[in-house]
């Protein structure tokens, strides 16, 4: 993996990202997961970028407090800057040896400040506090602080759980307010739908007259969701498609630059680096850009700056190839082997009543074995699939052919007859697909490391009006790297 547009530290993985944008530079703090056993304590690290293509690692930002500290593990939080230009970080502290009233590892909100542009942080243990009455002591994390100018207060949203109620529905976004960023007073919950186990990594922001509430949940699904409202205090409306990506993309939080807003999450790894391995916590930093629809809902795709780096066209089909199989299957496989990192930009004119069509990645020359990104107009979705699928034994029926796609790797998308665009960026074992510049699906590609690109149709007709495969070109490799400032001032 060349890390263009993505980031993973050597011998470690990216957990939850805490993004902060200042003076045009993105400062991306993240939970640095080493997967060492025994555990060594979770620190925050920082990377910076001004173009979201190249990232510069800055090392440890907020170290583990040590084995006897309440913040042995430095978990997710947020950053703000006050009127004096002082940066404040609020974060979760957890030590598995410190137990709360419920007998589980205690979680606390902790505070630190920086007066040198976020290069160093001074901890303020006297400002620490745990769950307020009515909430479980082991779930009090991910503080998100923002300024409510209308009310003249700072607000803190906290991932919490009620002490009573059905165990799977106690999740709540608790709320505290402050006038000085030092003492906090509990107030009514910010959002209390009694809907999920927990609402991790919450954030709220205003954008062009709309308010957005974003959080990640892991009870009904493992994904990042959002709600919209015309008012900070709701009511919050559920968009028709309320997820940012699929199962593999988690804990996404955002930062704006100008009128552009970017979401920073991680693409999960799989155990054993295999397609059938269980999803793991943490992975590779990946960026999605959000754009607004007129009704306030959002569409998502990778930043255009990343797509622009794939400027070496290595294969193309622009003659308008027709794939027709009214009651069968047809495909077209490009003769060139795709490199390890590549981009596909395809446009399909889908005929009415077509069951499926899409792209094959890392396919054999006959197209029989491949990863597949399948558009299903009748079901209104994009799914990720592969063949061969998992084999559980030597008999004919011991192949999971009854699993119609990779579980949890599906995205709802409207696919009426007509032209639709499917863009795919592959970098090593990473894959990010986008339909119509609006719906994204991220995943991993482990088992198949090479092969061809192709297009296919099943039970219908599609015209492949354009299909271009590009690699990172020499022009991108030679482009000057703009120095990124190590620190900025407010």
């Amino acid at each position: 993996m060349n890390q263009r547009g993505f980031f993973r530290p050597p011998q470690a993985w990216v957990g939850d990202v805490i993004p902060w944008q200042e003076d045009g530079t993105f400062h991306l703090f993240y939970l640095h997961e080493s997967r060492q056993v025994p555990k060594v304590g979770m620190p925050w690290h920082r990377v910076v970028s001004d173009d979201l293509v190249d990232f510069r690692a800055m090392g440890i930002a907020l170290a583990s407090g040590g084995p006897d500290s309440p913040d042995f593990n430095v978990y997710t939080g947020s950053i703000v800057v006050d009127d004096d230009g002082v940066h404040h970080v609020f974060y979760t502290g957890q030590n598995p040896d410190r137990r709360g009233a419920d007998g589980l590892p205690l979680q606390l909100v902790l505070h630190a400040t920086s007066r040198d542009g976020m290069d160093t942080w001074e901890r303020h243990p006297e400002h620490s506090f745990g769950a307020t009455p009515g909430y479980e002591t082991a779930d009090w994390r991910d503080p998100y602080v923002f300024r409510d100018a209308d009310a003249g207060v700072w607000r803190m949203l906290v991932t919490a759980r009620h002490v009573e109620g059905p165990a799977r529905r106690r999740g709540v976004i608790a709320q505290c307010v402050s006038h000085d960023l030092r003492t906090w007073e509990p107030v009514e919950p910010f959002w209390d739908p009694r809907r999920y186990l927990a609402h991790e990594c919450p954030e709220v922001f205003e954008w062009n007259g709309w308010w957005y509430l974003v959080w990640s949940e892991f009870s009904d699904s493992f994904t990042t969701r959002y709600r919209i409202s015309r008012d900070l205090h709701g009511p919050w409306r559920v968009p028709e498609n309320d997820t940012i990506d699929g199962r593999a993309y988690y804990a996404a939080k955002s930062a704006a630059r100008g009128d552009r807003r970017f979401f920073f999450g991680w693409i999960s790894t799989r155990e054993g680096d295999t397609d059938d391995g269980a999803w793991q916590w943490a992975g590779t930093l990946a960026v999605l850009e959000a754009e607004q629809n007129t009704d306030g809902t959002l569409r998502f795709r990778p930043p255009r700056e990343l797509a622009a780096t794939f400027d070496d066209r290595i294969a193309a089909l622009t003659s308008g190839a027709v794939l027709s199989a009214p009651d069968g299957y047809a495909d077209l496989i490009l003769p060139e082997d795709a490199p390890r990192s590549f981009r596909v930009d395809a446009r399909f004119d889908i005929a009415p009543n077509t069951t499926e069509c899409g792209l094959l990645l890392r396919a054999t020359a006959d197209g029989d074995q491949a990863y597949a990104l399948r558009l299903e107009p009748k079901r209104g979705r994009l799914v990720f699939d592969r063949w061969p699928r998992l084999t559980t034994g030597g008999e004919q029926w011991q192949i999971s052919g009854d699993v119609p796609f990779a579980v949890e790797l599906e995205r709802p998308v409207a696919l009426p007859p007509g032209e639709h665009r499917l863009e795919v960026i592959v970098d090593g074992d990473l894959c990010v697909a986008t339909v119509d510049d609006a719906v994204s699906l991220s995943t991993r590609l482990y088992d198949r490391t090479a092969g061809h690109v192709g297009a296919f149709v099943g039970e219908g007709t599609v015209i492949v009006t354009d299909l271009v495969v590009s690699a990172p070109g020499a022009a991108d490799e030679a482009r000057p790297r703009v120095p990124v400032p190590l620190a900025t001032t407010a």
Side-chain angles (χ1 to χ4, degrees), residues 4 309-313 471-481:
R4 177 183 292 101
T309 67
F310 292 85
D311 55 6
D312 182 10
R313 179 179 294 199
D476 177 66
E477 295 295 338
R479 67 187 175 91
R481 267 39 179 175

Side-chain angles (χ1 to χ4, degrees), residues 99 164 190 269 382 405 472 487:
R99 302 280 166 161
E164 296 180 349
F190 186 82
T269 53
L382 163 72
F405 57 89

Side-chain angles (χ1 to χ4, degrees), residues 238-250:
V238 183
E240 182 175 357
N241 179 9
D242 70 335
T243 54
I244 289 175
D245 202 299
R247 167 62 178 86
Y249 189 79
Y250 195 66

Side-chain angles (χ1 to χ4, degrees), residues 368-448:
D368 189 49
Q369 298 184 14
Y371 295 111
L373 288 161
R374 191 167 64 240
L375 301 172
E376 300 182 348
K378 295 179 180 179
R379 293 185 171 93
R381 67 185 181 183
L382 163 72
V383 303
F384 174 78
D385 203 352
R386 75 183 197 275
W387 191 269
R389 297 177 183 151
L390 176 67
T391 301
T392 59
E395 303 300 334
Q396 176 180 334
W397 59 87
Q398 293 173 325
I399 298 174
S400 56
D402 57 340
V403 179
F405 57 89
V407 175
E408 296 183 304
L409 290 180
E410 65 171 322
R411 299 283 288 134
V413 58
L415 296 167
E419 187 169 274
H420 295 275
R421 181 185 187 188
L422 178 54
E423 178 190 9
V424 185
I425 292 175
V426 172
D427 188 359
D429 58 26
L430 299 171
C431 176
V432 181
T434 309
V435 181
D436 293 336
D437 288 330
V439 176
S440 291
L441 176 64
S442 301
T443 189
R444 294 277 180 173
L445 311 177
Y446 284 119
D447 295 350
R448 303 192 61 80

Side-chain angles (χ1 to χ4, degrees), residues 1-8 24-28 46-58 257 262 264 285-287 303-310 427 472-473 475-485:
M1 187 177 70
N2 59 37
Q3 302 240 75
R4 177 183 292 101
F6 303 96
F7 175 80
R8 205 202 93 183
T25 297
F26 292 95
H27 300 259
L28 307 174
R46 175 172 60 141
V47 295
V48 294
S49 178
D50 62 351
D51 60 5
L52 300 181
V53 173
D54 298 306
F55 298 91
R56 181 174 178 178
M58 307 299 293
R257 184 165 66 185
F262 302 90
F264 303 86
L285 167 67
V287 186
R304 300 191 196 282
E305 288 83 351
L306 175 58
T309 67
F310 292 85
D427 188 359
D476 177 66
E477 295 295 338
R479 67 187 175 91
R481 267 39 179 175
V482 179
V484 179

Side-chain angles (χ1 to χ4, degrees), residues 166-239:
R168 193 161 60 98
R169 305 297 183 195
R170 293 184 197 167
V172 57
I173 297 180
Q175 182 179 199
C176 300
V177 297
S178 175
H179 294 278
D180 59 7
L181 292 173
R182 290 168 178 81
T183 58
W184 293 89
E185 173 190 356
V187 294
E188 70 284 349
F190 186 82
W191 192 54
D192 191 11
R194 299 283 181 154
R195 178 77 170 87
Y196 299 112
L197 185 72
H199 313 97
E200 295 195 304
C201 303
E203 72 164 322
V204 66
F205 60 87
E206 187 274 336
W207 190 15
N208 295 332
W210 291 95
W211 284 93
Y212 295 86
L213 171 62
V214 182
W215 82 97
S216 293
E217 61 98 356
F218 56 91
S219 47
D220 292 5
S221 299
F222 198 90
T223 192
T224 302
R225 300 183 184 273
Y226 77 98
R227 299 287 184 264
I228 60 177
S229 177
R230 283 295 193 180
D231 189 275
L232 170 62
H233 304 290
W236 297 98
R237 178 163 64 88
V238 183

